[in-house]
Amino acid sequence: MDYITADKVTFAYEADENEERLEVLHGVSLGVRKGEFVALLGHNGSGKSTLAKHFNAMLLPSGGKVYVDGLDTMDEALKIEIRRRVGLVLQNPDNQLVASIVEEDVAFGPENLGIAPPEIRKRVDAALKAVEMYDYRLNAPYKLSGGQKQRIAIAGIIAMEPDCIVLDEPTAMLDPRGRDEVLRTIHKLNRENGITIVLITHYMDEAVGADRVVVMDDGRVLTQGTPREVFSRVRLLKDHQLDVPQATELVWRLRGEGYDLPECALDIDECVAALEPLLNS
Amino acid sequence: MIRDITLGQYIPGRSLIHRMDPRVKIALTFVFIVFLFIASNFEGLLMMVALMFLILFLSGVPLSQYFRSLKAILFIVLFTGVLNLFYGGGRVVWRCPFFPAMQITDGGIGNAVFISIRIVSLILFSSVLTFTTSPTELTDALERLMKPLKVFHVKVHEIAMMMTIALRFVPTLLEETDKIMSAQKARGADLESGGVMQRIRALVPILIPLFVSSFRRAYDLAMAMECRCYHGGEGRTKMKQLHMTGLDAAAVACTAVFCGAVIFCAAYFPASLR
């Protein structure tokens, strides 16, 4: 049984007069299992962010259904329950923080849920430790780096003790160091706390560490599978103007030139292992 | 720098005054201001000044900080002081040789001194509040103090939430203004020369992008807040509870003694303002 189920979801933005109704999702069906790390790939306008916002009832499908832990997102009364279970982290860390002190910001979610103050304190401390920002709990957010701010935003979601976190391009506005920090945090939460992760990104390299990669194109699921399966379909991805990780690309091109190489290299280490015998011979 | 506005004028510390409940601090500051005006003679005013020095001493904030906050109102104190010199009864001390109507009397001198002390005390009392209480504590306390206003359908929680968000976004928007200014300068915008009107007009290309981006931020923030289950003040709890302790009781008692003394002075000594 999937934790999140999207069943033939279509979505269209309400059109103004004289405008055509713009359908962004054309019948997407997708399941996310509990504890899974799913990377949702696609370029701008592929509908990946729109789909993600369906996972915690921020957007409601125009057609089809979305279920979270068996709860129908169309049911207005369940909205808070659903958002407690599935947290959404947005792209710009500056625009997600509410309070001017780190720990008070992290407490915002649990406060909204009406949790008792001593329990909030415990959760806030645990959440800040989980993202390794406990030492900064009394700082002002604007003095932190982008990666640190994004980790605070993640802590704010963890403090609600969700089963799943959906991250909508959380690294798009960060420098490489901040990106590493955030990715490491996400992987740690998935591994150690068993939190289901849906990571939306257009950096192919970030998708390599996922359990499953789902590629979206033009409001449909183009292909999905383990990173190895998906990134060996280089031709398919290229036909849809999508990139593959650089290591994969290199090996693929060399194979195209007729060199005897393994079918797919996902990261630099695999690429090195593949090329070493070739260079030595 | 203006960037540190999130902390406002707050000077972190662990003094007795810092540790008081912010609600009590706000209420007592209000009482002090009222009693500064109830004190109608120098004897009563002396009581308030004594209380003020006691609080300044207990706050643990360096006196130089207080002087700095007085510098800002120096002009107002001088202006009202000088003006009061000429409005008062009693014996004439000095008469302007050109305009005989302008004269300084001993009553006027008394008034000038009295009112100057009153204004200076007023500023110092409120400085103690802002120096020893962080803006978050202040908004928190205000939310709770204003709670009774809910009866009159005042949206107390919403107002407090707006204050919190405003405080949070001041440094962010300042940074953004800096960036936009640099961007416009890079395109040849001239922000530094010309007359007043010209400079005001030069601000338009800065304000418009700032406005647009503020709305975008507001949209994002609203979404982030909804994602974190925000649904108004209904059923909301607070991580930090405010507690009144013996310290606050002592402060209230101490204030009561001094205020009693002011009332006593007002009743037994003649008024100083003439």
Side-chain angles (χ1 to χ4, degrees):
Chain A
M1 175 68 191
D2 289 332
Y3 187 72
I4 299 176
T5 312
D7 185 24
K8 299 191 200 69
V9 172
T10 59
F11 180 78
Y13 284 102
E14 283 310 316
D16 297 331
E17 277 175 80
N18 315 326
E19 249 181 72
E20 233 176 292
R21 220 169 88 101
L22 182 70
E23 197 174 79
V24 188
L25 297 176
H26 319 286
V28 176
S29 292
L30 185 70
V32 178
R33 284 186 297 278
K34 203 158 191 164
E36 199 178 15
F37 192 126
V38 178
L40 201 51
L41 288 176
H43 49 67
N44 291 340
S46 62
K48 57 190 196 305
S49 288
T50 309
L51 179 63
K53 288 186 182 109
H54 281 79
F55 290 168
N56 73 340
M58 284 307 294
L59 291 177
L60 300 174
S62 314
K65 285 280 185 189
V66 178
Y67 296 98
V68 173
D69 200 11
L71 307 173
D72 186 347
T73 59
M74 287 301 272
D75 190 341
E76 183 72 19
L78 296 173
K79 212 160 70 179
I80 298 288
E81 273 306 302
I82 289 169
R83 291 187 185 151
R84 196 184 63 72
R85 285 171 167 78
V86 180
L88 179 61
V89 175
L90 305 172
Q91 189 182 85
N92 188 336
D94 263 327
N95 297 355
Q96 305 179 61
L97 304 179
V98 184
S100 28
I101 291 176
V102 166
E103 62 172 13
E104 283 180 20
D105 184 79
V106 177
F108 181 73
E111 284 178 344
N112 288 334
L113 295 171
I115 290 160
E119 170 70 12
I120 298 183
R121 180 82 253 172
K122 250 186 272 169
R123 284 189 181 198
V124 167
D125 289 348
L128 283 171
K129 280 173 187 158
V131 299
E132 291 164 24
M133 287 297 289
Y134 185 68
D135 294 339
Y136 295 88
R137 65 190 178 283
L138 295 177
N139 280 42
Y142 72 94
K143 287 192 173 155
L144 303 176
S145 74
Q148 288 174 324
K149 275 187 263 195
Q150 197 60 288
R151 274 148 67 202
I152 298 298
I154 295 173
I157 298 291
I158 300 173
M160 298 195 295
E161 304 196 333
D163 300 318
C164 174
I165 303 179
V166 180
L167 302 103
D168 190 358
E169 305 201 29
T171 59
M173 302 186 76
L174 306 182
D175 55 12
R177 206 173 128 206
R179 189 178 302 164
D180 279 348
E181 285 170 15
V182 168
L183 279 180
R184 214 172 20 160
T185 306
I186 302 171
H187 277 283
K188 185 178 152 228
L189 290 172
N190 177 247
R191 213 171 42 239
E192 292 172 15
N193 303 30
I195 295 175
T196 311
I197 301 280
V198 178
L199 173 66
I200 295 146
T201 179
H202 58 245
Y203 294 111
M204 301 296 150
D205 294 294
E206 290 181 3
V208 169
D211 296 327
R212 184 153 58 105
V213 175
V214 178
V215 183
M216 293 210 35
D217 187 55
D218 194 23
R220 288 185 184 81
V221 174
L222 181 68
T223 177
Q224 58 172 310
T226 63
R228 196 168 300 280
E229 284 164 4
V230 169
F231 290 127
S232 16
R233 295 166 199 153
V234 181
R235 189 72 270 162
L236 175 76
L237 294 177
K238 292 249 165 206
D239 285 346
H240 289 84
Q241 283 95 42
L242 283 159
D243 282 325
V244 293
Q246 282 185 335
T248 315
E249 169 109 27
L250 178 63
V251 171
W252 181 72
R253 282 205 189 175
L254 287 171
R255 268 170 65 88
E257 298 288 325
Y259 289 100
D260 178 29
L261 286 171
E263 200 173 341
C264 177
L266 284 179
D267 52 27
I268 294 173
D269 289 341
E270 282 184 29
C271 185
V272 170
L275 294 183
E276 211 175 11
L278 190 72
L279 293 170
N280 284 342
S281 63
Chain B
M1 242 307 265
I2 197 163
R3 258 168 225 298
D4 281 324
I5 207 154
T6 333
L7 286 178
Q9 299 179 297
Y10 178 56
I11 296 160
R14 295 287 307 149
S15 76
L16 287 178
I17 309 288
H18 278 90
R19 289 203 305 254
M20 277 173 62
D21 187 312
R23 286 171 298 180
V24 177
K25 279 196 265 189
I26 292 175
L28 288 186
T29 305
F30 192 72
V31 170
F32 294 152
I33 291 169
V34 169
F35 269 81
L36 271 176
F37 286 91
I38 287 180
S40 56
N41 46 31
F42 278 105
E43 291 81 0
L45 198 59
L46 186 71
M47 291 294 153
M48 292 311 289
V49 172
L51 176 63
M52 184 187 76
F53 274 110
L54 177 68
I55 295 172
L56 292 194
F57 172 71
L58 285 177
S59 73
V61 174
L63 279 179
S64 56
Q65 287 290 340
Y66 289 111
F67 278 121
R68 209 165 297 164
S69 66
L70 281 182
K71 239 198 291 183
I73 57 136
L74 192 65
F75 176 72
I76 298 173
V77 174
L78 283 178
F79 184 75
T80 45
V82 169
L83 209 64
N84 268 291
L85 282 178
F86 298 97
Y87 290 89
R91 200 168 47 85
V92 175
V93 180
W94 177 80
R95 178 167 282 141
C96 180
F98 310 107
F99 305 99
M102 265 176 81
Q103 53 184 23
I104 295 175
T105 59
D106 59 348
I109 295 175
N111 286 359
V113 172
F114 192 89
I115 290 189
S116 301
I117 295 180
R118 198 181 252 175
I119 297 176
V120 167
S121 312
L122 194 83
I123 297 304
L124 288 180
F125 272 127
S126 32
S127 295
V128 174
L129 179 69
T130 52
F131 283 170
T132 62
T133 322
S134 71
T136 25
E137 275 182 309
L138 277 179
T139 42
D140 232 26
L142 277 178
E143 178 174 3
R144 273 164 239 228
L145 283 173
M146 294 197 303
K147 230 171 215 168
L149 294 181
K150 265 191 188 155
V151 184
F152 306 111
H153 300 282
V154 176
K155 298 199 176 295
V156 175
H157 167 75
E158 281 76 4
I159 294 172
M161 196 72 214
M162 283 191 265
M163 278 165 69
T164 309
I165 292 173
L167 278 173
R168 148 76 186 82
F169 275 91
V170 166
T172 309
L173 291 181
L174 278 176
E175 207 170 289
E176 178 125 35
T177 313
D178 258 6
K179 258 188 222 165
I180 295 173
M181 277 171 96
S182 307
Q184 300 292 37
K185 273 187 207 159
R187 291 166 202 192
D190 181 9
L191 305 175
E192 268 120 26
S193 60
V196 178
M197 279 317 284
Q198 211 171 339
R199 281 203 209 182
I200 292 175
R201 219 168 294 137
L203 282 180
V204 173
I206 291 164
L207 290 181
I208 290 174
L210 192 64
F211 238 76
V212 172
S213 96
S214 302
F215 276 103
R216 196 171 305 132
R217 281 181 195 281
Y219 176 78
D220 265 15
L221 182 70
M223 181 147 75
M225 285 168 75
E226 273 193 67
C227 285
R228 289 162 77 182
C229 303
Y230 182 69
H231 51 94
E234 206 80 8
R236 223 174 112 74
T237 48
K238 280 275 189 180
M239 175 171 74
K240 284 185 183 151
Q241 299 297 94
L242 294 177
H243 292 294
M244 284 189 223
T245 58
L247 185 65
D248 299 297
V252 172
C254 187
T255 307
V257 169
F258 276 94
C259 292
V262 170
I263 293 174
F264 177 84
C265 292
Y268 276 79
F269 297 101
S272 298
L273 282 180
R274 279 179 282 173

